[in-house]
Amino acid sequence: MKYFLIRSFIFIALLFVLDSCNKEQNANTPNTKLVVGAEYQGGKIFYILVPGDPGYDINTPHGLIVATSDQSTGIQWHNGLNTLTNATGTALGTGLSNTNAIILSQGNMYTNYAAGIARAYKGGGYNDWYLPSKDELNKLYANREATFKGHTNGGFPATFFWSSTEHTDVNLHVVAWSQSFHNGVQSRSVKGSSSNVRAIRAF
């Protein structure tokens, strides 16, 4: 009888542990956690990929996370050398490769230009933050209030933010795309001008 009671107690305890594990696992599933505005992996989710987006996976949700504060309230796009970086990706999913190309061209003085300061950010212990591409920055602007609910303009200052997308016009004047967080207008700006930086990362 004593042996039976001990076995029953162990069995019940095991069921309790398994049930707790299942509840914890279910609480962390993409369906219950991965939504715009959720705190996740060092920042807040501001976009979930949909069919047609590069990197979309019907079985595994992917998206973009934004830092909860600006990494700079005014910094130039380049490090003082107006070199051609070939960081020309505009689409979702190209901000990381743009940032890598810029840093390869501009060097590792990370704190004196936009892409460098975005990469230097280590929010949540992650080291893969980057300067958003033109289209990624536009998604951030469009979803800013849904991401940071209860804050006017999503808490963003009504000023320009840098993207990582370089643009070379027909006269070979190399500039970069920025976006106003006042009215959403995207502009080609001289790399030596000053704009804000908000780092993002993908999951």
Side-chain angles (χ1 to χ4, degrees), residues 12-26:
I12 293 170
L14 181 60
L15 287 177
F16 178 81
V17 171
L18 289 174
D19 182 62
S20 297
C21 289
N22 286 334
K23 287 179 179 178
E24 182 177 352
Q25 184 178 15
N26 291 335

Side-chain angles (χ1 to χ4, degrees), residues 159-172:
T159 188
F160 279 87
F161 283 77
W162 282 121
S163 83
S164 59
T165 304
E166 185 176 64
H167 175 80
T168 305
D169 65 21
V170 293
N171 297 313
L172 298 181

Side-chain angles (χ1 to χ4, degrees), residues 77 82-90 98 102 134 162-178 186-191:
W77 194 90
N82 193 19
T83 60
L84 185 64
T85 68
N86 294 313
T88 56
T90 61
N98 281 349
I102 295 165
K134 179 175 178 281
W162 282 121
S163 83
S164 59
T165 304
E166 185 176 64
H167 175 80
T168 305
D169 65 21
V170 293
N171 297 313
L172 298 181
H173 296 147
V174 181
V175 294
W177 285 97
S178 63
Q186 293 190 309
S187 303
R188 289 167 289 187
S189 303
V190 176
K191 290 180 178 179

Side-chain angles (χ1 to χ4, degrees), residues 107-129:
N108 60 4
M109 295 297 292
Y110 292 145
T111 58
N112 67 348
Y113 65 100
I117 204 167
R119 171 54 50 78
Y121 183 61
K122 295 295 186 290
Y126 294 91
N127 60 6
D128 57 352
W129 295 90

